[in-house]
Amino acid sequence: MTAAPGPPRPDRLLRTIARAAAGAAVVAARGGVRLPRPVDRDLKVVVAELTAEAPDAVGLRLARPDGAPLPPWRPGAHLDVLLPSGRLRQYSLCGDPADRTAYRVAVRRIDAGQGGSLEVHGLLPGTRLVVRGPRNAFPFVVAPAYLFLAGGIGITPIAPMVRAAAARGADWRLVHTGRDLASLPLSERLAGLDPARVIRRADDVHGGVPTAAELLADLPAGAAVYCCGPPAMIDAVRRAVPDGHGFHAERFSPPPVRGGRPFTVRLGHGGPVVEVPADRSALAAVRDVVPDLAYSCQQGFCGTCHVPLLAGATEQDTSAPGRMALCVARARDATPLVVDLGRHVEPCGGSTSPPSSHKVP
Ligand code: FES
């Protein structure tokens, strides 16, 4: 894969930020942006309002039950939302950072998904939830100009950035793509900032999905390119962004494992050994043996799959020292890793402890 021009690739940037989260304040590798101090606090919120943002997208307004102000956040931040079932999901904040009375998220219903979005769509006003964060793995840098590219519900982290760029008086442009106009949440309101700067592009009108060249047409000089959408869109744009432009992306799904080496993970001293192939994560391989093992983001930042590392050394690890992020970390050398899953795992794959409440079914 062709590397994105300019500074480190976003996937690596994201891991860097997540690793830094184990320390004190976080400073993004690009643009010198200072991010909010990462927090693992649990915040109790209530679903204050539900809105239809598109035929298959619901907006949630989450407020504190007592109406107290919520912790601050910056464009690009997301919340970890613990749903009543125990599922943990990450949703980008799409509201106004200046509004401390509520967090806003928007969630597209995915009928063939793992159930999280269906559960969100079934929530009622007054439902109490626990959220963690906000955390920011998609920092908004200062630039003279911006090109924002959003695919469908990928508009959610982009929307606060658009408002911030407009407030700064920057030169900006938004291209929001989707199968039809009805599938494009939030951007109709953003067009109210300046209709000439917003393109809402529907595939059914334009004869299919846009090419990267089409998305990058009329790229302002020196513009930072922000992209959030399906992996194919991000990969195509990443390859096509010309030199001299910062490229920043957030994916809907975990990146594929590329260039990995096989290694082994032992599940506790004396436990079964799991072979991790070059093209799979340790999380995926371990889940073959322990299917109910908890995970969520699969990109290293939510912490759900971080487990104690009892032996061996890792690389590409986003967890704290002495721990391993199973979804992204790999063995640094040929020494087998030994991790503690907090339960006894039989060699045949049986588990004698109850599953985590954060399991994704
Ligand atoms: S850190 Fe989120 S699933 Fe691994």
Side-chain angles (χ1 to χ4, degrees), residues 94-122:
C94 61
D96 179 359
D99 178 7
R100 301 281 300 278
T101 66
Y103 293 143
R104 287 184 182 273
V105 298
V107 179
R108 168 146 287 155
R109 188 184 67 245
I110 303 174
D111 294 325
Q114 296 176 318
S117 69
L118 297 179
E119 185 173 356
V120 170
H121 279 248

Side-chain angles (χ1 to χ4, degrees), residues 312-333:
T314 59
E315 61 185 11
Q316 303 173 41
D317 203 340
T318 58
S319 65
R323 297 177 68 81
M324 176 181 180
L326 290 171
C327 63
V328 292
R330 307 190 72 81
R332 185 181 299 169
D333 51 39

Side-chain angles (χ1 to χ4, degrees), residues 90 283 294-306 318 325-328:
Q90 289 76 43
L283 175 68
Y295 72 96
S296 186
C297 72
Q298 300 181 75
Q299 297 179 59
F301 59 79
C302 77
T304 307
C305 75
H306 294 190
T318 58
L326 290 171
C327 63
V328 292

Side-chain angles (χ1 to χ4, degrees), residues 2-312:
T2 304
R9 289 175 301 163
D11 297 338
R12 195 172 74 204
L13 174 67
L14 184 147
R15 292 186 184 117
T16 302
I17 292 169
R19 183 177 291 115
V26 177
V27 178
R30 260 189 292 222
V33 176
R34 195 163 188 84
L35 303 176
R37 183 181 292 268
V39 287
D40 290 324
R41 69 191 154 216
D42 284 0
L43 293 171
K44 292 177 180 166
V45 297
V46 62
V47 178
E49 185 183 10
L50 292 158
T51 53
E53 301 295 342
D56 58 356
V58 65
L60 273 65
R61 184 174 179 274
L62 305 172
R64 276 196 156 139
D66 61 2
L70 287 159
W73 58 281
R74 297 186 185 187
H78 70 267
L79 278 184
D80 293 338
V81 180
L82 186 57
L83 296 170
S85 66
R87 295 179 176 100
L88 183 69
R89 292 292 185 268
Q90 289 76 43
Y91 297 119
S92 296
L93 289 167
C94 61
D96 179 359
D99 178 7
R100 301 281 300 278
T101 66
Y103 293 143
R104 287 184 182 273
V105 298
V107 179
R108 168 146 287 155
R109 188 184 67 245
I110 303 174
D111 294 325
Q114 296 176 318
S117 69
L118 297 179
E119 185 173 356
V120 170
H121 279 248
L123 295 176
L124 298 172
T127 304
R128 293 187 176 236
L129 299 172
V130 172
V131 300
R132 299 188 186 124
R135 291 187 288 188
N136 200 323
F138 192 30
F140 184 50
V141 302
V142 175
Y146 300 92
L147 175 61
F148 300 107
L149 305 174
I153 198 68
I155 190 68
T156 50
I158 297 289
M161 297 182 183
V162 169
R163 293 191 207 97
R168 286 179 191 171
D171 183 12
W172 62 275
R173 189 161 158 263
L174 166 66
V175 182
H176 191 190
T177 73
R179 61 182 183 276
D180 53 40
L181 282 179
S183 70
L184 302 180
L186 307 180
S187 54
E188 194 167 13
R189 263 173 269 154
L190 294 172
L193 295 169
D194 186 343
R197 294 180 184 273
V198 176
I199 297 173
R200 304 179 77 233
R201 185 198 179 282
D203 299 345
D204 62 347
V205 174
H206 290 83
V209 298
T211 64
E214 189 179 341
L215 292 169
L216 293 167
D218 303 323
L219 181 62
V225 179
Y226 275 84
C227 185
C228 184
M233 175 184 179
I234 291 175
D235 290 342
V237 173
R238 184 200 305 270
R239 287 192 293 267
V241 171
D243 289 343
H245 297 270
F247 178 69
H248 314 260
E250 188 167 70
R251 307 175 69 100
F252 286 166
S253 56
V257 179
R258 289 195 174 101
R261 291 190 305 269
F263 61 100
T264 60
V265 178
R266 184 180 287 278
L267 307 182
H269 291 301
V273 173
V274 175
E275 303 289 339
V276 182
D279 60 352
R280 298 186 79 200
S281 69
L283 175 68
V286 172
R287 277 179 53 84
D288 287 346
V289 179
V290 187
D292 63 2
L293 186 66
Y295 72 96
S296 186
C297 72
Q298 300 181 75
Q299 297 179 59
F301 59 79
C302 77
T304 307
C305 75
H306 294 190
V307 295
L309 179 65
L310 304 179

